[in-house]
Amino acid sequence: MRFGAYKKVNEMQSRLAEWIARREKILEGVREILINNLNVRREADEIDPDSALFGSGLGLDSVDAVELVVSLENRFGLRVPSRPGERAALRTVNSLVDLVIALEDQRDESG
């Protein structure tokens, strides 16, 4: 393998490792919010990232949704917009992680 190609592979692996670490840190924060602020009675590692937040998933309700948004804003220093279509971001644990990442990226881009 040529040095240039090797360097690109290393850079890609490094970026991937950073992305995974960032995602894991945010997932940990979301799980802590669910357990500590919303009284989800599970251990952190028992909360599957693909778990639905409402209904038969983690059993949250509309009042919990408000607390969840406030907790996300406080924990991550973000403003969660209340636009139509944002409800999809409150579907699963993973969708919350995706929302936090997107909002952090927007904040960082805007300075």
Side-chain angles (χ1 to χ4, degrees):
M1 183 182 298
R2 293 179 31 211
F3 179 73
Y6 180 75
K7 185 176 177 184
K8 284 184 182 182
V9 168
N10 277 344
E11 288 172 5
M12 288 181 1
Q13 289 175 334
S14 176
R15 284 195 305 260
L16 179 60
E18 289 172 11
W19 182 83
I20 291 170
R22 177 183 182 198
R23 189 166 183 84
E24 286 294 322
K25 183 176 180 179
I26 294 169
L27 175 60
E28 178 183 320
V30 169
R31 284 174 169 160
E32 287 177 7
I33 288 170
L34 292 169
I35 293 167
N36 297 330
N37 298 34
L38 297 162
N39 300 315
V40 171
R41 302 220 185 285
R42 297 190 185 163
E43 296 296 320
D45 61 350
E46 294 175 335
I47 299 175
D48 185 328
D50 291 321
S51 294
L53 296 171
F54 301 93
S56 63
L58 297 178
L60 302 183
D61 60 25
S62 59
V63 174
D64 293 326
V66 174
E67 177 64 29
L68 180 58
V69 169
V70 170
S71 296
L72 286 171
E73 290 178 341
N74 289 335
R75 172 76 182 238
F76 296 103
L78 302 169
R79 169 77 173 90
V80 177
S82 57
R83 298 184 300 248
E86 290 298 324
R87 287 185 4 212
L90 300 178
R91 190 169 296 156
T92 67
V93 176
N94 263 333
S95 65
L96 288 177
V97 173
D98 292 339
L99 175 65
V100 170
I101 288 171
L103 292 172
E104 283 182 342
D105 288 348
Q106 285 176 7
R107 178 187 61 201
D108 294 346
E109 288 175 4
S110 66

